Amino acid sequence: VVVGTNDVPTVDATSAAFAELPNEIGSGTPHEASGTITFTDVDLTDRPVASAVFTSFTFEPAVNNVANSLTAAQLAAIAAVQAPLTVTQAAGNTNNGSASWSYSVPDSAFDFLAEGEGLTLTYTATVDDGHGGVVTKPLTITVTGSNDAVEITSGAQTAAIAEIAATHGSGQVD
């Protein structure tokens, strides 16, 4: 009599990268990244399911990692781009299969990145065979900052001056 055991699947995940649009401020053009999570399970009756969740980030200027000295505004900007991945299982998956993942965030969300700065978002891909076999693998999305045009934020200033009554020719300056 041979009694089988549950074997965990093996998993692999692809990463992606893109650069922020140069000289664009407030652009709604989406940055899209995508990849694949592939798996193999030796247990022929298992039907693994893939998912992915955000795990961490690293922020790199040209020289060194300054993630511990980021301002509240920078941390908020980074939190805004930690969008969930859309994971879609391939049709016909059996014990061996795949899922595609995709990421989409407007370019304006990356305006805080300067040229020479990089942001790497790390997600954890998980494959669960439904029988206790769970395996994880990190995948990353790396964004490279660019030089954006200077934006003038203040408009023309106006002021009102009221004439002083009954002071014609008095030499007072309004």
Side-chain angles (χ1 to χ4, degrees):
V1 175
V2 177
V3 178
T5 61
N6 185 48
D7 295 298
V8 297
T10 59
V11 64
D12 193 28
T14 59
S15 296
F18 60 85
E20 172 199 12
L21 296 175
N23 294 314
E24 294 280 335
I25 296 175
S27 173
T29 300
H31 281 291
E32 296 176 347
S34 60
T36 306
I37 302 167
T38 57
F39 55 85
T40 302
D41 194 322
V42 296
D43 297 322
L44 300 177
T45 59
D46 286 353
R47 299 296 179 259
V49 175
S51 61
V53 295
F54 176 78
T55 308
S56 64
F57 74 90
T58 56
F59 182 82
E60 297 283 335
V63 180
N64 60 352
N65 188 340
V66 294
N68 294 330
S69 63
L70 295 174
T71 67
Q74 288 170 314
L75 290 170
I78 291 168
V81 298
Q82 297 170 6
L85 300 183
T86 301
V87 178
T88 306
Q89 311 303 312
N93 277 345
T94 60
N95 59 311
N96 301 322
S98 66
S100 61
W101 64 263
S102 62
Y103 171 90
S104 181
V105 172
D107 180 72
S108 61
F110 298 100
D111 286 347
F112 71 96
L113 290 173
E115 187 160 351
E117 292 179 337
L119 177 66
T120 300
L121 304 171
T122 301
Y123 291 79
T124 298
T126 301
V127 174
D128 184 344
D129 71 5
H131 296 104
V134 178
V135 179
T136 62
K137 179 89 173 192
L139 66 91
T140 60
I141 300 171
T142 303
V143 184
T144 303
S146 66
N147 189 28
D148 290 320
V150 176
E151 181 179 32
I152 299 173
T153 58
S154 63
Q157 305 257 332
T158 59
I161 300 175
E163 181 178 0
I164 300 173
T167 59
H168 178 64
S170 70
Q172 278 188 308
V173 177
D174 291 342

